[in-house]
Structure formats: structure tokens, C-alpha cells
Amino acid sequence: MRCNHCTDAPCVDICPTTALYKRDDGIVDFDTDRCIGCKSCMQACPYDALYIDPGEHTAQKCNYCVHRVEVGIEPACVVVCPEQAIIAGDLDDPTTHIAKIVANEQVFVRSPEQGTNPNLFYKGVEQANLDPLSAATVVNDYIWRDPPDPVPAWMTVDLTPKNGSGPQAPPGFEYGRNGAPPRVVYNTDHPMPWGWRVSSYFLTKGIAAGLALAVAIALLAGAGTGPALINWVAPLIAGLFLAGTGALLVTDLKRPDRFLYLLTKGRWGSWLVRGAVILSAYAAVLGLWFLAGVAGADDLVAVLIWIAVPIALAAAGYTAFLFGQAEARDLWQSPILLWHMVAGAFAVGGGAGLVLDLFLDVPNAATTAFIWAMIGGSAALGLIAFAELTTRHPTRNITDAMHHMTRGVYAREW
Ligand code: SF4
Ligand code: SF4
């Protein structure tokens, strides 16, 4: 898909290393040498304009042929088109052909509701060409736009609109409702940007953060410092799960050799960078807690546990803000995602404490605290899931995605 060189480009906001950046002339350009291959930009671009270059293992996209534009030549696609179907130019200069068209004729943009203010305008276009939900959906072909098995990637996908509910149409919706004519398109074939490693990272990060939170509840319940679990086993286990979290994140990068760019070339506006700083700070506090516990400095252990609590909450919840920057994923924009992640951390942290309880001599107050952390976190998760399932969703993309998850093609996994 063509890059829209959005005025408010979410790919630039989420990019942790400024590999994607906006030039003074408005072009969203790309620096291959800074890209770590985290694929966050692919989750942020609502237009699927980014892909992973199989040679460089970095993201790539159209950069408006800046190498040509800078020497006064139009982009290659403009020059090669025999019918002048593509018109390029300076939108800020009212005398240019394109500025006059945009000012005086009816033009449309894709997904205006995403708030990206795209600078790619379509003239004389049918809505079915701009809005994928105007055409029929295909089984197994919704979220990632991969061709359904067994249709090979090189074949076309039939998006023939249907007058009436299609096989995956959620209640109350009809595909092809605009009566658009049938059309067959080439679909974009690329694997899911984030897969099992990111899913697993939620669990390992939740345990790492939740264990400190559960131990803090144990202190509140009167457990006191001193027992091995509280003094050094908990920070050790939390640290191991935190290390696992880091390993999952690093190995998920397409350029793991550049993972330190997150800290050395990081852009603070990206929640990927903020998350890396939070996880690093949490690792440092866990390390100090462990050392103080091994040394038997009980008072210092208590202080470090309370220092760890806000950082553990941040570690558990920051991903909600990262997902909030992933503008292309409407389902991830839920305002209760933060509480979902914090509740999950309490649930798995309490559970981890109970598992350790099986092998260690733990005060009764701590056992009770772990049970309540797990029950409270699980109950909160249940309430959040109930709210997500029963409340009205702000966009049709979310409604469709929820339907596909709970009653559609992904119901089995759900
Ligand atoms: S969000 Fe997508 S379309 Fe917009 S500038 Fe970024 S890559 Fe281009
Ligand atoms: S893959 Fe990550 S580092 Fe590379 S451009 Fe996209 S967001 Fe930036």
C-alpha cells in the first residue's frame, strides 16, 4: 500500500529510534541504519504501508522518491504512469496542480477516523475501494489480511460484496451494504508482525511485575521481611522472568544486533523506549532487593520492596500505552487495557507466589496475600472481559474484531 505521508504520522510517533521521521517538507522518510526491526510501525500504520525488507531485515516503505524530488524530478510512479492517474506536488503551494485539485474538487482519504491526516487523496473513487469493510470479508482473512489457506499468496482474493450477511458478518452488519460492484483484488501477504513472542512476553512480564506486587501485599498483611521467599527468592524469580521478557523482546527484533539502540538512540516519545527504561529500572531495583535480602538487611529489603511497587505497576501497564500508539489496531485502543494488564499482573503474581509457597516455608499472612492477589486479579480480569464483551464499541473495526474472536474464525482459540 502506498504511504500517505500523514501529517500526524503514528508510525513516526511509535518508532523508538527515529528510523522513521518527518522531514521539513512533510515527507515521512526512513533511515535504514537506525531501524531495529521491532515492527511497531507496522502495527501503527492504518494503511499497511510498511513491510520488512527481506534483505536488510529492517522496515521499508515508499519515501516519495526523495532522491528524485530533491533534484527536481517527480516520483517514479508519477513519471511512469501513462494516464497521469497519479499526480504529485506541493500541497502547501496553492499554485500547483495538485493543490488546486484538492482545494476545488471532491477528494477522499482512507480511514479519516484514525486522525492521521493523510496527504494522499483519491478523486472519483468508490467507497468500496477505500474502506475494506465495504466489501465482503473472507474466512480467515480479516485482521492480518493474509490469504486464506489453501489459497496461495500469489492468487487473487475474492472480495465480492454480498447483499446480506456474509459468513462472518457480525450481527447487525451487512457486507457490501453500499451495493458496490464485485471486485477481485490482490491481497497483501505478510506474516503477523508480532506473534507468540509478544504474547508470551505478557505472561513473563506479568509474573515479573506481579510477584513484587504480591509480596508488597504480603507485607501489608503483616508477613514481614526475613523469610527467604520475601528476602531473596521473590526478586530472584521476578528477575529471571524479567530476563525472559527481555530475551523474548530482543529475539523478536528483526535486527537483534541493534537492540541497544533502544537506549542509545531512543526517542522518548515512543513507549517502546519508555518501556525499555522502565524494565531496566525494575531490573536494577530487583537486583538491589536480592542483594539486600541475601545480606540479611531486612529493613532495606522492606524499603526496596516499596520502591519496586510503582515500577512494577509501570512495568505491568506501560504496554497499554504502547498499544495505544499502535493506531492501526483499533481493538488495542481500549481505555481499560491498562487495568487489564495491571489486573493480569496481580493474578499471575499471586499465582507465582502460591507456586513458590509449595516449596518454601512461607508465613501464613503471605500465603493469604498471594491467594487474594490471584483471586482479586482474576476477578478484575473477568469484570474487564465482561465489560469488553457487553459494551458498545466505538468503531466497526472493533465490533468486527470482537465478533471474529468470540464467535467467528478465532472463536476456538478464544
Ligand atoms: S502512518 Fe503509514 S501511511 Fe502514514 S506516514 Fe506512516 S507509513 Fe505512511
Ligand atoms: S521496525 Fe521499529 S525501528 Fe524500524 S522503522 Fe519500524 S518502528 Fe522504527
Side-chain angles (χ1 to χ4, degrees):
M1 190 72 78
R2 198 180 293 271
C3 175
N4 290 232
H5 297 281
C6 309
T7 300
D8 300 303
C11 60
V12 172
D13 290 340
I14 204 170
C15 180
T17 58
T18 339
L20 281 159
Y21 61 97
K22 183 173 271 295
R23 293 164 37 117
D24 290 341
D25 57 10
I27 296 172
V28 176
D29 204 354
F30 185 79
D31 182 353
T32 304
D33 291 339
R34 294 182 77 99
C35 178
I36 61 174
C38 66
K39 299 162 282 181
S40 303
C41 51
M42 296 171 71
Q43 307 284 26
C45 173
Y47 311 104
D48 215 10
L50 287 133
Y51 58 93
I52 293 293
D53 178 341
E56 292 283 333
H57 303 292
T58 58
Q60 277 295 353
K61 73 172 193 69
C62 146
N63 74 341
Y64 197 71
C65 286
V66 286
H67 58 294
R68 296 170 60 91
V69 172
E70 282 178 348
V71 294
I73 311 174
E74 291 189 303
C77 59
V78 177
V79 174
V80 81
C81 178
E83 298 296 332
Q84 297 185 45
I86 303 172
I87 301 168
D90 186 353
L91 285 164
D92 291 334
D93 179 354
T95 64
T96 59
H97 185 197
I98 190 168
K100 288 176 182 169
I101 290 176
V102 171
N104 301 316
E105 301 189 33
Q106 188 178 34
V107 291
F108 302 91
V109 295
R110 282 184 190 271
S111 303
E113 75 282 358
Q114 298 291 348
T116 56
N117 291 315
N119 288 303
L120 176 59
F121 298 90
Y122 296 83
K123 180 184 152 195
V125 69
E126 294 163 9
Q127 192 60 25
N129 282 344
L130 295 182
D131 178 8
L133 296 180
S134 289
T137 189
V138 179
V139 175
N140 284 334
D141 181 51
Y142 177 69
I143 294 178
W144 305 109
R145 306 181 68 244
D146 291 337
D149 184 47
V151 179
W154 47 268
M155 288 188 70
T156 56
V157 174
D158 185 3
L159 291 180
T160 305
K162 291 181 173 63
N163 291 321
S165 295
Q168 294 301 313
F173 290 112
E174 292 182 349
Y175 291 116
R177 62 196 182 287
N178 298 329
R183 59 190 64 254
V184 173
V185 300
Y186 282 103
N187 208 350
T188 309
D189 180 23
H190 60 68
M192 278 193 298
W194 291 342
W196 67 268
R197 287 188 183 86
V198 175
S199 309
S200 306
Y201 136 100
F202 280 112
L203 181 62
T204 56
K205 182 165 71 80
I207 292 174
L211 201 48
L213 299 173
V215 168
I217 295 175
L219 289 194
L220 284 178
T225 53
L229 171 65
I230 290 176
N231 269 32
W232 62 269
V233 175
L236 176 65
I237 299 298
L240 289 174
F241 275 96
L242 196 62
T245 302
L248 286 167
L249 289 178
V250 171
T251 55
D252 195 53
L253 300 178
K254 288 293 179 186
R255 292 297 303 260
D257 54 310
R258 295 179 176 176
F259 81 94
L260 275 178
Y261 286 10
L262 279 173
L263 299 175
T264 59
K265 299 179 192 284
R267 196 182 65 82
W268 184 243
S270 166
W271 274 96
L272 221 69
V273 172
R274 295 182 187 192
V277 171
I278 289 168
L279 295 182
S280 301
Y282 190 44
V285 173
L286 287 176
L288 291 173
W289 173 4
F290 173 77
L291 291 175
V294 169
D298 292 355
D299 290 344
L300 182 56
V301 166
V303 171
L304 288 167
I305 288 172
W306 291 115
I307 291 175
V309 166
I311 308 176
L313 287 170
Y318 83 84
T319 316
F321 298 100
L322 173 63
F323 275 27
Q325 287 186 320
E327 286 289 345
R329 309 290 172 237
D330 281 13
L331 190 62
W332 298 354
Q333 308 297 314
S334 167
I336 49 179
L337 191 58
L338 171 65
W339 307 113
H340 188 139
M341 293 182 176
V342 171
F346 275 101
V348 295
L354 287 174
V355 171
L356 294 175
D357 201 342
L358 297 174
F359 305 100
L360 296 164
D361 191 18
V362 176
N364 286 340
T367 306
T368 306
F370 295 156
I371 290 172
W372 279 111
M374 191 174 75
I375 290 176
S378 302
L381 279 179
L383 280 175
I384 289 166
F386 180 76
E388 286 179 337
L389 287 170
T390 54
T391 51
R392 189 171 175 80
H393 304 296
T395 71
R396 192 178 155 204
N397 271 319
I398 299 179
T399 304
D400 275 18
M402 290 292 281
H403 173 79
H404 284 290
M405 280 175 58
T406 56
R407 288 188 291 281
V409 289
Y410 301 108
R412 192 183 168 93
E413 288 85 349
W414 165 260

